[in-house]
Amino acid sequence: MVGKRVCVIGAGVSGLASAVYVQRQCPNVEVTLVADVFSPKTTSDVSGGLWEPYCLGDTPKDLIKTWSSVTWDYLLSIYNSPVAQRVGCQLMSGFTLTDGDCPDPDFKDQVFGFRQLTADELKQFPMARNGSFHTTLQIDVELYLHMLMERFVRQGGTVQQRKVESLEEMSGQYDVVVNCTGLGSYSLMRDTSLKPVRGQVLRMRAPWVKHFYFSKPSNAAATYLIPSCRSLVVGGVLQEGNWNEDVDEADSRDIHERALLLLPSLKGVEIESVLTGLRPGRTQIRLETQHLKMRSGETLPVVHNYGHGGAGVALHWGCAQHTARLVKEALTASKL
């Protein structure tokens, strides 16, 4: 595969992980990363960084389990290494609360110590009738993206900042293209299965908060508190079809009020920043190879890896592994 060229489009967590994994699987291939937006301005940077698959449409459960399990094992290996301090990787326990039924999630056997809350524990949360407790993994996504970028460049990767308007731009330039543009594929691929799922979070300085909290009312927006190594991430909103990337002050007030009901100790705590992002919602994740016919007559293999909804962090390493395997298959086929 010496002399082969691969281009990865997109510099969020899926794009950077895919670029690094392609380098691992195809060590003699030239890999270029192209994006118009980089950290700290990607949608991934807005994430609370908690390992918990959600907002995945009709993606087959066996694929979610495979991709999320690979990612879990990878993050756990980071937690058990000196790299953990660079990316704020930590084990984190916390509560999921609801005013209705609380069925066990599909990932209950992957996380540590999953159990339903006792009646005495529920007394702490008057808004909840049921709830559960478990331990999962969490990273500071901005720090993690910086680490992946450093690794990619150190391993010989090339970075270009520009917006790709059409895959025709790649014709004759690369042997395989990896599309990790997230919601950008709505225009790049004319993929109307994609829709924005707008999110907005507050970041606060509350170092005494050591647990995560998810409150999921049956008839209102979910509220979550996720402590990272640098701040407390407070959310949120889940607004399907909303393309607005500006901060909405009404949403900020609503999020703050809900957070105070959930954790009154936050009263008076300064809000350090407010961030928004558009999750790439899709009927299901698209992870497959497509052979596109270019105007030149060339056939360009494109490996798509997008549509991860709210689970980009939870699935990213497993999806990157799958992506790299498809890239290697496409490169091998091109030699025949």
Side-chain angles (χ1 to χ4, degrees):
M1 295 185 187
V2 176
K4 294 291 185 179
R5 293 168 297 176
V6 172
C7 180
V8 179
I9 311 173
V13 70
S14 295
L16 276 170
S18 294
V20 168
Y21 220 113
V22 169
Q23 288 177 318
R24 173 190 290 191
Q25 289 285 91
C26 312
N28 296 316
V29 169
E30 297 177 23
V31 184
T32 300
L33 180 72
V34 178
D36 60 334
V37 175
F38 293 86
S39 180
K41 297 182 178 181
T42 74
T43 299
S44 298
D45 287 282
V46 184
S47 168
L50 201 70
W51 185 97
E52 181 169 328
Y54 78 105
C55 192
L56 289 167
D58 298 324
T59 303
K61 289 186 177 181
D62 59 333
L63 289 177
I64 295 174
K65 183 175 182 179
T66 297
W67 295 330
S68 62
S69 295
V70 169
T71 306
W72 171 273
D73 292 342
Y74 166 69
L75 292 177
L76 191 60
S77 72
I78 290 179
Y79 170 76
N80 286 307
S81 79
V83 178
Q85 61 184 307
R86 291 188 57 196
V87 300
C89 186
Q90 57 186 328
L91 283 172
M92 184 179 296
S93 302
F95 303 87
T96 300
L97 309 162
T98 177
D99 58 3
D101 295 332
C102 188
D104 292 352
D106 293 333
F107 58 78
K108 73 180 183 68
D109 294 326
Q110 183 73 72
V111 297
F112 296 142
F114 180 89
R115 62 177 176 79
Q116 296 292 328
L117 296 180
T118 66
D120 283 342
E121 287 173 315
L122 282 168
K123 290 178 182 178
Q124 300 178 74
F125 310 107
M127 78 294 290
R129 285 201 306 113
N130 290 292
S132 61
F133 185 89
H134 68 270
T135 299
T136 185
L137 288 152
Q138 191 268 347
I139 58 172
D140 186 305
V141 180
E142 183 180 341
L143 296 178
Y144 178 62
L145 292 178
H146 290 173
M147 186 200 75
L148 286 177
M149 179 63 81
E150 289 175 4
R151 182 185 300 179
F152 175 72
V153 173
R154 187 172 62 249
Q155 294 174 169
T158 301
V159 179
Q160 298 178 10
Q161 183 166 15
R162 63 184 176 89
K163 184 175 180 60
V164 177
E165 301 288 353
S166 169
L167 293 183
E168 286 285 349
E169 299 172 25
M170 306 297 169
S171 179
Q173 302 297 312
Y174 300 99
D175 299 284
V176 179
V177 170
V178 179
N179 173 26
C180 297
T181 57
L183 193 60
S185 284
Y186 182 87
S187 57
L188 182 64
M189 303 307 304
R190 305 293 189 267
D191 187 347
T192 56
S193 296
L194 276 166
K195 60 184 175 183
V197 183
R198 183 178 177 275
Q200 182 166 310
V201 300
L202 317 178
R203 291 187 183 267
M204 308 170 74
R205 182 67 178 167
W208 64 89
V209 180
K210 304 299 184 183
H211 291 86
F212 69 80
Y213 298 84
F214 277 91
S215 177
K216 302 178 178 179
S218 55
N219 60 351
T223 304
Y224 57 85
L225 312 175
I226 304 173
S228 73
C229 66
R230 296 186 295 169
S231 62
L232 177 68
V233 180
V234 182
V237 294
L238 201 72
Q239 299 169 346
E240 294 187 5
N242 188 344
W243 289 89
N244 179 28
E245 296 184 74
D246 296 329
V247 170
D248 186 309
E249 296 299 336
D251 282 339
S252 290
R253 289 191 296 271
D254 179 55
I255 293 167
H256 193 228
E257 290 170 2
R258 287 187 274 123
L260 293 182
L261 287 175
L262 181 57
L263 203 64
S265 68
L266 294 177
K267 185 174 182 179
V269 176
E270 181 182 357
I271 297 173
E272 296 181 327
S273 62
V274 184
L275 302 174
T276 68
L278 303 182
R279 306 174 184 91
R282 196 173 186 272
T283 47
Q284 64 180 53
I285 291 172
R286 188 179 188 188
L287 211 173
E288 63 181 0
T289 303
Q290 179 183 20
H291 292 86
L292 290 178
K293 195 76 169 179
M294 301 286 100
R295 286 195 293 265
S296 63
E298 171 197 13
T299 297
L300 178 66
V302 179
V303 178
H304 298 289
N305 178 18
Y306 66 84
H308 300 87
V313 171
L315 304 182
H316 78 281
W317 201 246
C319 288
Q321 182 187 78
H322 191 151
T323 296
R325 184 167 66 248
L326 294 180
V327 169
K328 189 173 184 179
E329 290 173 359
L331 289 171
T332 301
S334 69
K335 293 170 62 179
L336 302 179

